[in-house]
Amino acid sequence: MPTTPPRPRPPFLRWAPCLLALLFAVVTWQVASRGPLARADERLGRALVERDGVSAFLADLGNVEVALPVLAAAACHAAWRARGAGAPRWWTALAVAAGAAVAVPLVVAPLQALIARPGPPPMAPDTGFYPSGHTATAVVFYGVAVLLLLPWLRRRAARLVAAGVCVVLVAATAVGLVRHGYHWPLDVLGSLAAGAAALATPAALRTRAARQGPPARQNPSAR
């Protein structure tokens, strides 16, 4: 990775993964037990459904066929830049992208089978809609793509644009899935919380390590 001066990280990053994981746990509990939040979610979902071409297009942004090429392109670019900079582990970006692509179905599919939540009326009587696989794909694939590119974007404006594009793509996917009746709102919210927690964890760990500082060296003369 290129050498860049360390930038201070907001303190809330240390707690973001825990808070997001807690949100995911609460939403999962409500959906699995069909609690009051899940029943309100289904009423809201029925009111929001409006199937049209725009919502279908937005929902398709979460397809693997769309998100995977973006992730692959970002990983290849990061690996190419790292190799050009002489990094010994220039292939790390490729390994991270491959791991992200494999992890999403390995985590989402068992949860969908275990909870077996019925889908909205357009998808009924099928089950296995929580958490949303398309939302998880969008969050993780687009998010990891941006994280791989950020170290190579020198200008702050470029980093902000990359992060903004990621947020827009994920938000558009979430809106399209609910609007087109592919998922209930909580299906999408659960995946957003879990995916964001996974993306925020490395930053939280780096922030904690930076606050603790390097380990103290023992004075040889004190032995």
Side-chain angles (χ1 to χ4, degrees):
M1 296 176 63
T3 303
T4 56
R7 295 186 297 273
R9 301 180 184 275
F12 72 86
L13 282 179
R14 292 183 298 158
W15 304 103
C18 296
L19 295 176
L20 290 166
L22 178 61
L23 175 60
F24 175 70
V26 171
V27 172
T28 303
W29 162 55
Q30 283 291 296
V31 171
S33 63
R34 192 167 170 74
L37 188 59
R39 295 193 294 271
D41 171 61
E42 292 176 2
R43 291 193 296 270
L44 176 62
R46 292 189 184 93
L48 292 176
V49 172
E50 184 66 38
R51 298 173 69 88
D52 54 28
V54 175
S55 61
F57 171 79
L58 296 179
D60 287 344
L61 294 175
N63 286 343
V64 174
E65 296 82 0
V66 177
L68 183 58
V70 176
L71 175 60
C76 290
H77 178 78
W80 173 68
R81 294 289 301 273
R83 186 174 184 180
R89 291 182 293 179
W90 56 268
W91 43 262
T92 300
L94 300 175
V96 169
V102 172
V104 170
L106 287 181
V107 173
V108 171
L111 285 174
Q112 290 178 334
L114 178 64
I115 297 175
R117 187 185 195 188
M123 309 302 294
D126 294 338
T127 60
F129 286 83
Y130 181 88
S132 166
H134 282 69
T135 305
T137 298
V139 174
V140 175
F141 283 33
Y142 296 136
V144 171
V146 171
L147 291 178
L148 293 176
L149 292 177
L150 284 182
W152 305 101
L153 300 177
R154 296 290 187 175
R155 296 184 178 180
R156 184 172 182 268
R159 295 193 293 269
L160 290 176
V161 169
V165 170
C166 174
V167 171
V168 169
L169 289 174
V170 172
T173 302
V175 171
L177 291 171
V178 174
R179 191 71 171 165
H180 206 69
Y182 286 144
H183 279 284
W184 302 108
L186 284 185
D187 300 344
V188 172
L189 179 60
S191 288
L192 287 174
L199 294 177
T201 297
L205 294 176
R206 287 196 298 269
T207 301
R208 182 177 180 181
R211 288 178 64 88
Q212 291 177 345
R217 295 183 178 179
Q218 185 178 1
N219 187 357
S221 61
R223 296 180 180 177

